[in-house]
Amino acid sequence: RAEGTPLPAYRAQAAGWLETLECHYWDAAGGGYFLSADDTDDLVHRPKSVNDSATPSGNGTILVVLARLYYVTGKTAYRDRAEAVVGAFSGELERNVFPLATLLNANDLLQNAVQVVLAGNPASAEVTRMRRAVRGCSLPNLVLQIVPPGGCLPPDHPAAAKSAGAGAAAFVCRGQTCSLPLTDAAALSAALQFG
C-alpha cells in the first residue's frame, strides 16, 4: 500500500479505482457494492455480500480503502460513502456477527484512526528512524502520512497548521487532537505505546 509515502500518484490511482467501483459496482438502491459489474450480462442475480470467507469481504475491504482515502485526502465524500457502506450492512450484525470481522475492523478504523504525520525530508535519517519506530508498534488503526518540506495536509486535518521547523517532527493525532511535535524516534515510539 502507498501509506507512508509522500507520492501523490498512489492516492490518485486508488481514487481512480474507486471511481470505477462507483460507476459499475455501487448499489444505488440498497447501498454497498455488488461483487459483479453492472455490465456483466451472464448472471441471473448480481451478488452483494459483506461476509468474510477464505478471503476478506469485498465490501469490508472497500470500506478500509474509503476510510484511508478520507484520512489522507480530507475529502468528506469518502467518509460519507464509507458510512453508507456500514449502514447498508448494519442489519447483518443482528443476524450473525462472526463473518463480519473485516467490516467491523474497517469501521473501527473509520471511527478511531491513529494518524501519525511525519514532517520532514522523507530521505533523512531521522524520518527513516521515525518510520521504523511507527512500524515497530502494533497499531491496527494506523494512518501514516509523510509530508515533505513544502508539502501540506488537507486543510481540516488536525495537524494541518503544525510545522516541523527546520528538521523533522512527528505528530500523533487522535480525533481532532494532536501531540506536540516529537523530534526523535524514541519519543514517537513512547507516544504510540498505547495505540
Side-chain angles (χ1 to χ4, degrees), residues 3 31 43 85 91 111 124 131 158-159:
E3 188 174 61
L43 293 176
V85 171
Q111 305 302 328
S124 72
R131 188 181 312 160

Side-chain angles (χ1 to χ4, degrees), residues 143-170:
V143 176
L144 174 63
Q145 294 187 69
I146 299 176
V147 181
C152 61
L153 291 164
D156 59 348
H157 190 285
K162 300 193 180 290
S163 169

Side-chain angles (χ1 to χ4, degrees), residues 78-163:
Y78 292 130
R79 183 176 185 96
D80 294 344
R81 181 58 85 204
E83 289 175 346
V85 171
V86 173
F89 297 106
S90 61
E92 296 295 318
L93 294 169
E94 295 177 5
R95 290 184 199 90
N96 185 6
V97 72
F98 295 106
L100 305 178
T102 303
L103 178 78
L104 293 172
N105 289 335
N107 185 52
D108 191 42
L109 169 68
L110 180 65
Q111 305 302 328
N112 302 304
V114 175
Q115 297 186 77
V116 177
V117 176
L118 303 181
N121 182 344
S124 72
E126 193 53 42
V127 169
T128 300
R129 283 191 289 274
M130 288 181 184
R131 188 181 312 160
R132 282 192 197 117
V134 171
R135 293 292 180 209
C137 295
S138 176
L139 297 167
N141 290 340
L142 172 69
V143 176
L144 174 63
Q145 294 187 69
I146 299 176
V147 181
C152 61
L153 291 164
D156 59 348
H157 190 285
K162 300 193 180 290
S163 169

